[in-house]
Amino acid sequence: MKITRIYAENYKTYKHLDLNLDVSADRPIILVGGGNGCGKTTLFDAIYHALYGLEIKNAAIFEQLFNAGVKVAEGMENKQIVLQIDFTGFVLGAEQPYKLTRAYQHTQGRVLESVTLNMAGSTYRYGSGTPPKEREENKSSINKLIAANLPEDLSRYFLFDAMKTSELLKEEQINKLIEKIVNSVMGFSKYYQMRKSSDEMLAEKKAERMENENQRKEYQNLVREKHNKEEILAQLEAQYADCLAYAHDNKQEYDQLIKGRNADEVTRDKMRRLEEDIEQFGKREKEYRQEADNLVKDLETNVIIPRLAESIRTEMEVLLNAKKAVAEAHGSQWNEEQMEELTQKVVAIIARHHPAIGEMDTMAIVEELLAEKEHNDVTDEYPFLTPVDTEVLDTLINSSYTNPFILLDEKRERINLDLTSMPQRREQLEECRRAISGHDYSLMERYEANSKKMLQTKAEIDTLKKEIKDLEKKISRYDYDIPLVPDPKYDLLCKLPDFFNKLSVKLLRAKKASIERMMREQLNLNLVAYAGYVGKVELSQEGSEDISFKIYHRNGNEIYLNQLNAGAKQTVMQVLLKVLYDLGDYEPPVMIDTVMGVLDKESRDIILENYFPDLALQTILLSTDTEITAEHDFAKIAPYVGKTYTLHRDKDAQCTTVTNDYFGMHTTI
């Protein structure tokens, strides 16, 4: 398969993209340069989704994918997102041209899809308005033709982001990944399917040969249970593979979000402290102004009266003492009415108890008492002061007063001190706000939920495998109950499962030496940390269901994959993909985004010189000028470059434009 052209219209950063990707065998590399945000990954996505389609469920997703510049200038109604890819591929040994067009249109609140594939004069077409049966038939035909050239499940091994390849070598997924790559790329998976089918046919034949009806039913129930568990196992393994793929595809972003979230939390804590300080300063300033206003309004109460009270305190104390003496004297004496009432009571008591005394003149007694009282009465020097006046004067000179100016001045000094730091704190707050990333952290929740699901699924898979093995043991016991009557078809069915299993092992063994040899050679060339020191690469011989490989130093010790750094892991993974590409059943284009990933300078030089030139029949490299530099690196691969393009971001028009060079450099053909 070779891509000859990619066309995109209104897709993300591209208003119109039309690139010729045709290359010759001696110049298989297409070098596409661009800075960050210029559209390299979008070009990658355009090629991938032109082959396998976009999933646009609603208008919101359509709007996200639609070019922003066109949306602002012209709107989206009745406009299309178009992805078109031209490629050549082999059908029954003959090379055929393909033109695959996918168009998506938003109209009246709906997203309509249209897909057309032209192949050597034959046209297959379906869309949103196609009758369901015809749609499914044509969709199936188109998908089969695409899969014949590059199945979607294999595309991730040939169309990939180099930055993420090192993540493929995580300990929990390396063996599963290698098994999938080897089985899929090298075509061994079909023999596993044949063995499974022959197992099912053999089980049916065994049941037919059993004479005892009860035994037959028990056997069939066990076989049926095993078959059901195997189906569940296949579903769980598919789910587990999806979880692994999701974890791999989002690991880098998840790690970045973790760092971003932690950094954001620290920044947010600082923001909260700054906001509280600024808010508290505002409150203190407001309180100070209110207190100052109140002090001015109540100047008499707060200043004048306390000063007056202090100046007249001595005179007022003399006056109050005199009034107090008068009050005390008056308080111990009776008035005329009281005296008259009491005298009458006393005279009445004496008359009862001492009648001999005779009648007494009550009024004469009262007058005598009043005369005595007037003789002993205290003189009031300040008769013009009422008791209320006296109480006010007492309160005035005996109340405690504090100078409010002292406290107010202390507050003023603190506020002036804080005021000088407020501009700096506000600037710090603005810096914090600018530093907040604004990322959507929902991916973290999905990633962690996916990790949890992966662990649960793995546990369920292990349990099911054990249960299936137990059922296989029970089923095998019934072999003794099957009559040994000659039957050529039955005898052949008995041999088929083992035959297909051994065939896949033999095919793997036949390729094993080539894979191991090529891996060792490529690692000695490209793996800088162990260049020239890889003594052996060992591929497992346990069959196609459990495949892994190990790398050994020439001194004999194993080089553990999980102990390699990210750059070395990337190299190992890319070498494995190259070897399987060379030995596999497919010859697809290889497209690599962020080509140098996490490689150091020495590794980059080696990859440029030894890896890219003969990687594939067509290699599309998406690079920044810091990965493959125009000054030094371009010359190393220029003899193998058939096409060069540089992507430029037009910020005003919100689109990407393309020039036929690599950051100003051109190839000489």
Side-chain angles (χ1 to χ4, degrees), residues 308-352:
L308 174 64
E310 185 65 26
S311 63
I312 64 173
R313 181 182 301 278
T314 303
E315 292 84 351
M316 289 301 101
E317 285 180 349
V318 172
L319 183 151
L320 290 173
N321 287 335
K323 293 293 286 186
K324 184 177 180 181
V326 171
E328 288 176 351
H330 288 174
S332 60
Q333 297 177 1
W334 295 335
N335 57 33
E336 185 176 347
E337 291 81 6
Q338 290 174 329
M339 285 183 180
E340 183 179 351
E341 182 181 357
L342 182 59
T343 300
Q344 289 176 352
K345 290 180 180 178
V346 171
V347 169
I349 292 171
I350 292 172
R352 283 198 306 273

Side-chain angles (χ1 to χ4, degrees), residues 287-317:
E287 288 173 359
Y288 168 77
R289 294 185 184 281
Q290 186 64 47
E291 288 179 13
D293 289 344
N294 292 338
L295 183 62
V296 172
K297 291 176 182 177
D298 300 330
L299 192 63
E300 297 86 352
T301 303
N302 293 313
V303 178
I304 298 174
I305 292 178
R307 293 297 299 272
L308 174 64
E310 185 65 26
S311 63
I312 64 173
R313 181 182 301 278
T314 303
E315 292 84 351
M316 289 301 101
E317 285 180 349

Side-chain angles (χ1 to χ4, degrees), residues 329-421:
H330 288 174
S332 60
Q333 297 177 1
W334 295 335
N335 57 33
E336 185 176 347
E337 291 81 6
Q338 290 174 329
M339 285 183 180
E340 183 179 351
E341 182 181 357
L342 182 59
T343 300
Q344 289 176 352
K345 290 180 180 178
V346 171
V347 169
I349 292 171
I350 292 172
R352 283 198 306 273
H353 294 283
H354 303 283
I357 294 176
E359 185 178 354
M360 291 181 288
D361 188 351
T362 301
M363 291 305 298
I365 296 172
V366 171
E367 288 176 358
E368 187 175 346
L369 287 174
L370 287 173
E372 183 67 22
K373 172 179 176 298
E374 185 174 337
H375 176 73
N376 296 324
D377 201 2
V378 178
T379 303
D380 185 359
E381 299 179 12
Y382 309 101
F384 54 85
L385 292 177
T386 67
V388 174
D389 296 334
T390 304
E391 184 179 353
V392 169
L393 287 172
D394 185 63
T395 302
L396 176 64
I397 66 171
N398 290 312
S399 295
S400 60
Y401 294 97
T402 58
N403 189 343
F405 281 106
I406 296 175
L407 294 176
L408 193 63
D409 193 55
E410 289 177 357
K411 289 184 178 181
R412 180 187 61 79
E413 289 181 359
R414 287 198 299 269
I415 287 173
N416 285 339
L417 185 63
D418 290 342
L419 184 62
T420 59
S421 66

Side-chain angles (χ1 to χ4, degrees), residues 99-115:
K99 182 185 291 290
L100 176 59
T101 305
R102 298 180 184 272
Y104 305 86
Q105 181 175 350
H106 176 238
T107 179
Q108 297 180 350
R110 296 180 59 208
V111 179
L112 305 179
E113 178 188 29
S114 174
V115 181

